[in-house]
Amino acid sequence: PWHRQMNGSRLPWNLRPLTSIMLAFPLHLEPGATIEIVIGAASETLLALYPTVWEPKAFALWSLQRNLVLAMGWGAELSLGLFALALALLNRDWMQLIMASRLAAVLLRDLALFGVAGIILWPESPAWDLKAPSVMGSLALALTSTYILFFVPLRHTSPTAWWMLAFSVPAYLGLVVTGTAGAPFRTVSQILLVMATLGITSQTWVCVAAVHSDYRPARYLLPAFIIGMIGAIARTAEAIGLLSESGLGLVTPTLLSVLGHIMFLTAAAERTNLLRRERAEAQAQLLAVTTDAQARLEREIESQTRELRIAMEQAESANRSKTQFLAQVSHELRTPLHTILGYTELLRTGRRVSERLAAIAEGGRHLLRLIEDLLSFARGEYNTEQLRPEAIYLHQFLRRIAEQG
């Protein structure tokens, strides 16, 4: 009689014949007996099948080694993701946050590929083991494209490749939404294959163009991207049976994945250092400009202060001249007026008329000169006259003083 057994991602964890994430069936064979095994595989993802008969102890040892290698790789991805998240929170760096999200998507994709996510996250929904790799793969590609777009400035790469990569991001997110909403797996996987090919081509083009333009951080990004893509391909090949799960075939995808993520973080650190250097140079230039402007402002203030001091001294000199002039004029105006008024009174007596009229005329001329001096002062021309020696008759000078006195 035939003994029918079922296993695989479509069977809940608690109904599988062996507690293993692999397709394993228990066989009991008596010594000298023979058994006929018929295997029927119904899968939309399996491309190769390599049946192997194990002894229980050997199978347990191999399973332990395999699970340890996978757990080490997943632990490394989780640690790198937490490290990137910590850097994002400490430095407020969006690049590190995108990298942490990408690591989370890659980790969920790998856990779904090997059936571990179905055990931990959706034990009662085995159909998600089929959807999750495509959904998480699309999300990882969208985050990778976003990371590269933020990483490489448009001026350092090909604009055509950059915009192609930018348009691929909403397409990947559309696949995530349609895959989550329950679209047919075959349709989603075929579209994802086409989009992945175009996206990887655009990503490679952008990275190569950035390296060619001598953008230093891209020297770390390009190998990180290449190593990460090879690791993802190797992991997928291992999950679908194209790559042996023993020896190098078991260790290589894990090593490539971890190395690729380390290179991504190194590229992000180099970009951060470049931005810090550019910011330091910008701050130094700003400081130099500020210092130069401050020095120029101090010179202007000093020049204006000197001009104000000169203007103040000129104003004080003009004030002193005005005070001196007013003091002199106030006295000089009284003298000819007294003379004119005095001789006018004397004229009423009628004696020595001609001499007294001459004194009045001299006082009038003196008063006219004082008025002219007042007008010159009003025009700002006072104290501009130059003194010069002139011959006089001393007896006439003394007689004038006597007459005006």
Side-chain angles (χ1 to χ4, degrees):
W2 292 97
H3 177 62
R4 184 180 179 87
Q5 296 187 75
M6 295 183 65
N7 202 340
S9 60
R10 300 192 182 193
L11 196 65
W13 173 257
N14 57 351
L15 299 180
R16 296 180 184 181
L18 287 177
T19 56
S20 173
I21 61 174
M22 292 169 288
L23 296 176
F25 304 93
L27 296 176
H28 300 281
L29 187 62
E30 297 294 334
T34 59
I35 189 173
E36 183 178 357
I37 301 173
V38 178
I39 300 175
S43 173
E44 296 183 78
T45 59
L46 187 66
L47 298 182
L49 186 65
Y50 302 98
T52 305
V53 179
W54 293 87
E55 292 183 356
K57 291 183 179 180
F59 178 74
L61 179 61
W62 177 79
S63 298
L64 178 62
Q65 293 175 349
R66 179 178 182 272
N67 292 338
L68 283 176
V69 172
L70 292 175
M72 289 174 60
W74 295 335
E77 290 177 354
L78 179 61
S79 300
L80 291 173
L82 293 176
F83 179 70
L85 180 60
L87 290 178
L89 295 177
L90 290 175
N91 300 329
R92 298 180 181 179
D93 188 356
W94 285 98
M95 298 296 300
Q96 299 292 356
L97 183 60
I98 296 173
M99 176 53 61
S101 303
R102 179 185 180 277
L103 282 164
V106 170
L107 179 59
L108 287 174
R109 182 206 64 187
D110 291 347
L111 291 175
L113 276 174
F114 289 92
V116 178
I119 301 171
I120 302 173
L121 301 177
W122 47 79
E124 302 300 327
S125 302
W128 259 97
D129 281 342
L130 188 64
K131 297 179 182 179
S134 298
V135 172
M136 292 302 154
S138 300
L139 183 58
L141 285 171
L143 291 170
T144 302
S145 298
T146 304
Y147 180 88
I148 294 176
L149 289 173
F150 279 105
F151 189 96
V152 180
L154 182 59
R155 65 180 182 275
H156 287 294
T157 187
S158 169
T160 303
W162 196 91
W163 284 111
M164 285 177 58
L165 194 59
F167 290 134
S168 69
V169 174
Y172 289 135
L173 295 178
L175 289 177
V176 173
V177 174
T178 54
T180 306
F185 169 78
R186 186 179 298 275
T187 303
V188 173
S189 60
Q190 289 176 350
I191 296 176
L192 176 60
L193 182 61
V194 175
M195 288 300 305
T197 303
L198 295 176
I200 292 172
T201 302
S202 301
Q203 292 169 1
T204 307
W205 188 0
V206 169
C207 295
V208 171
V211 172
H212 182 69
S213 67
D214 201 23
Y215 184 56
R216 185 178 180 82
R219 300 177 185 178
Y220 298 91
L221 180 64
L222 181 59
F225 172 73
I226 294 175
I227 293 172
M229 288 298 103
I230 295 175
I233 293 172
R235 180 69 78 193
T236 305
E238 179 187 8
I240 63 179
L242 292 179
L243 188 64
S244 173
E245 293 186 330
S246 61
L248 290 176
L250 179 62
V251 178
T252 300
T254 300
L255 291 178
L256 288 175
S257 178
V258 173
L259 181 59
H261 288 121
I262 291 175
M263 290 294 294
F264 269 115
L265 291 176
T266 303
E270 178 63 23
R271 175 183 173 275
T272 302
N273 292 334
L274 177 62
L275 291 177
R276 286 177 178 173
R277 289 194 298 269
E278 291 178 350
R279 183 172 60 184
E281 292 176 357
Q283 289 177 347
Q285 293 177 357
L286 179 60
L287 180 61
V289 171
T290 304
T291 304
D292 181 66
Q294 184 177 0
R296 186 169 59 253
L297 181 60
E298 290 178 353
R299 289 194 298 269
E300 291 178 358
I301 292 175
E302 183 180 356
S303 175
Q304 292 180 359
T305 303
R306 186 166 52 251
E307 292 176 358
L308 287 174
R309 187 182 299 113
I310 295 172
M312 185 180 296
E313 291 175 355
Q314 292 176 350
E316 291 177 353
S317 176
N319 190 35
R320 286 193 301 269
S321 299
K322 180 186 69 174
T323 303
Q324 179 183 0
F325 178 80
L326 290 176
Q328 179 180 353
V329 167
S330 62
H331 172 73
E332 293 293 336
L333 282 175
R334 292 188 184 96
T335 301
L337 284 175
H338 284 308
T339 303
I340 294 171
L341 293 174
Y343 277 99
T344 303
E345 291 294 330
L346 291 175
L347 281 175
R348 293 177 180 177
T349 62
R351 293 177 298 176
R352 300 175 62 186
V353 175
S354 61
E355 294 180 0
R356 291 167 182 173
L357 288 175
I360 292 172
E362 181 63 25
R365 285 192 293 271
H366 187 190
L367 187 60
L368 179 61
R369 286 195 297 271
L370 290 176
I371 292 172
E372 290 177 352
D373 288 342
L374 277 175
L375 294 175
S376 298
F377 178 79
R379 292 193 300 268
E381 299 175 357
Y382 185 69
N383 279 343
T384 59
E385 297 86 354
Q386 294 182 356
L387 299 178
R388 62 181 184 275
E390 184 178 345
I392 62 172
Y393 295 100
L394 182 58
H395 65 280
Q396 292 181 357
F397 177 72
L398 294 175
R399 182 167 55 84
R400 288 176 188 171
I401 292 176
E403 291 174 353
Q404 294 181 3

